């Protein structure tokens, strides 16, 4: 595989990264510093296409698992409006029948704005410093300019969580029973047409999902995209293009949706490095960075609740 990522020149500092989030968004005590507003979703994950078992021995592809999920707005604002377009996120903690855990964290972005954890910290710091600093950062980082241009051109139609596609951004490995690894990225795409079915207002997303669940099926298909030999698997700022082998590996079906105060998701840490047997993290250093900053954030916000 082609590694297009230059090694980061500095060791990732979780404290510095966490501080950058707080400077950019402020602090809502007891809440996540990023993806601050959200609610819980509970349901099941079941395998769909058995071809995925050729590549992975994971138990999430061999039986039905339970899921505790959280859907959210990206960013650290305490209460962004549901009736205005914005980037969204979804995290899942999947528990298999044999008690194995598999954690997934996704966003609606198609790829990451920068290639390394050091660049990500500096981007957050530049945004906190203001427009001039952000422009100066963009001038030095063509990958950030490409990210902005691509995502600004996307359709900005307002969609509820259940009508939205979420993407892994980082690369992972599927691992078969013999230990062979296959690089892949994945997305969770709505299984059907799920639309806005209630009157829109600043906080309508939960009500909308509850109504869609009550009136029919709310689900997302896990679409696995296998890497081609020339794909940049260790650089999350590089989008894969061209034809790829894809597999509809599984389906997450929502059965209930509730506020964080009534659900199980608030205290969860959606660490993307927690993987079931049959998966492995890639060597992408951004995965380690995410894991470290999520862990620090979980400790801080949960201590604020006590």
């Amino acid at each position: 595989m082609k590694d297009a990522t230059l090694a980061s020149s500095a060791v990732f500092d979780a404290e510095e990264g966490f501080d950058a989030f707080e400077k950019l968004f402020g602090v809502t005590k007891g809440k996540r510093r990023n993806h601050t507003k959200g609610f819980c979703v509970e349901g099941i994950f079941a395998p769909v296409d058995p071809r995925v078992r050729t590549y992975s021995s994971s138990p999430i592809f061999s039986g039905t698992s339970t899921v505790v999920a959280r859907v959210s707005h990206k960013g650290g604002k305490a209460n962004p409006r549901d009736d205005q377009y914005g980037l969204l996120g979804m995290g899942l903690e999947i528990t298999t029948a044999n008690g194995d855990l598999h954690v997934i964290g996704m966003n609606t972005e198609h790829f990451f704005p920068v290639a390394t954890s050091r660049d990500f910290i500096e981007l957050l710091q530049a945004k906190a410093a203001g427009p001039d600093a952000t422009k100066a950062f963009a001038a030095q980082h063509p990958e950030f300019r490409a990210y902005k241009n691509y995502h600004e051109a996307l359709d900005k139609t307002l969609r509820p969580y259940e009508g939205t596609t979420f993407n892994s951004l980082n690369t992972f490995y599927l691992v078969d029973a013999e230990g062979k690894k296959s690089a892949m990225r994945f997305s969770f795409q709505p299984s059907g047409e799920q639309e806005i079915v209630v009157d829109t207002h600043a906080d309508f997303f939960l009500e909308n999902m509850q109504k869609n669940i009550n009136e029919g099926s709310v689900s997302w298909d896990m679409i696995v995209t296998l890497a081609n030999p020339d794909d940049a698997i260790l650089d999350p700022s590089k989008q894969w293009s061209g034809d790829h082998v894809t597999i509809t590996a599984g389906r997450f079906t929502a059965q209930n949706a509730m506020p964080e105060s009534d659900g199980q998701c608030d205290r969860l840490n959606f660490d993307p490095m927690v993987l079931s047997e049959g998966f492995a993290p890639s060597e992408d250093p951004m995965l380690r960075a995410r894991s470290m900053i999520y862990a620090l954030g979980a400790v801080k916000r949960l201590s604020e609740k006590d």
Side-chain angles (χ1 to χ4, degrees):
M1 297 294 177
K2 179 181 178 182
D3 178 2
T5 304
L6 296 176
S8 179
S9 60
V11 176
F12 177 75
D13 185 332
E15 285 279 0
E16 187 179 4
F18 190 81
D19 288 346
F21 272 107
E22 292 193 335
K23 288 177 182 177
L24 176 58
F25 297 121
V27 176
T28 304
K29 286 194 172 183
K31 301 292 289 183
R32 299 168 201 264
R33 303 312 197 250
N34 189 19
H35 294 271
T36 304
K37 179 184 178 181
F39 60 82
C40 300
V41 183
E42 297 173 358
I44 59 171
F45 183 90
V48 175
D49 189 335
R51 285 188 301 155
V52 71
R53 294 199 288 272
T54 302
Y55 301 94
S56 174
S57 60
S58 173
I60 73 170
F61 299 134
S62 59
T64 300
S65 305
T66 60
V67 179
V68 176
R70 183 177 186 268
V71 287
S72 59
H73 287 262
K74 185 180 178 184
K77 293 182 179 179
N79 198 30
R81 297 185 65 93
D82 292 352
D83 56 1
Q84 295 178 358
Y85 174 84
L87 296 175
L88 306 174
M90 182 160 69
L92 294 83
E93 183 178 272
I94 302 172
T95 304
T96 67
N98 65 355
D100 204 355
L101 284 182
H102 191 100
V103 175
I104 289 173
M106 300 172 290
N107 291 291
T108 49
E109 297 154 294
H110 289 231
F111 52 93
F112 216 69
V114 290
T116 70
S117 56
R118 174 51 46 186
D119 287 343
F120 184 57
I121 293 173
E122 293 178 358
L123 172 59
L124 294 176
Q125 292 170 336
K127 287 184 174 182
D132 290 342
T134 304
K135 288 179 181 178
F137 179 90
Q140 298 297 319
H141 292 82
E143 74 278 17
F144 178 56
R145 298 196 300 273
Y147 165 91
K148 286 190 66 177
N149 291 338
Y150 180 89
H151 287 90
E152 285 175 356
L154 294 178
D155 180 14
K156 300 298 192 297
T157 301
L158 181 66
R159 294 181 177 87
Y161 291 122
E162 59 269 33
T164 295
T165 294
F166 299 90
N167 303 303
S168 65
L169 301 186
N170 300 103
T171 300
F172 296 82
Y173 293 114
L174 297 175
V175 185
D176 68 15
E178 283 71 46
K180 180 183 177 181
K181 294 181 177 180
S182 301
M184 64 93 182
R185 292 178 180 176
F186 61 87
S187 62
F188 273 55
Q189 300 178 7
S191 307
E193 296 293 331
Q194 294 294 344
E195 304 294 343
I196 296 172
V197 293
V198 301
D199 292 336
T200 61
H201 53 85
D203 299 298
F204 81 93
F205 272 0
L206 174 57
E207 179 188 0
N208 198 85
M209 185 178 292
Q210 289 172 330
K211 186 170 183 180
N212 272 324
I213 289 173
N214 290 336
E215 294 185 351
S217 175
V218 169
S219 61
W220 295 262
D221 289 338
M222 181 183 187
I223 309 298
V224 166
T225 299
L226 299 178
N228 288 334
D230 59 346
D231 286 328
I233 65 170
L234 306 186
D235 184 348
S237 71
K238 300 297 184 186
Q239 188 177 25
W240 296 354
S241 60
D243 293 333
H244 286 76
V245 174
T246 62
I247 303 170
T248 304
R251 178 171 296 164
F252 167 39
T253 300
Q255 297 174 322
N256 297 288
M258 68 287 295
E260 287 182 303
S261 58
D262 297 334
Q264 305 177 62
C265 72
D266 186 39
R267 302 186 74 87
L268 296 182
N269 176 26
F270 294 102
D271 182 346
M273 296 284 284
V274 176
L275 301 170
S276 60
E277 179 185 358
F279 281 81
S282 72
E283 298 82 0
D284 180 356
M286 193 70 76
L287 273 172
R288 277 78 184 165
R290 289 176 62 191
S291 179
M292 291 167 68
I293 199 168
Y294 290 3
L296 177 61
V299 170
K300 288 199 172 186
R301 69 182 175 82
L302 293 178
S303 69
E304 293 166 351
K305 294 178 181 291
D306 298 334

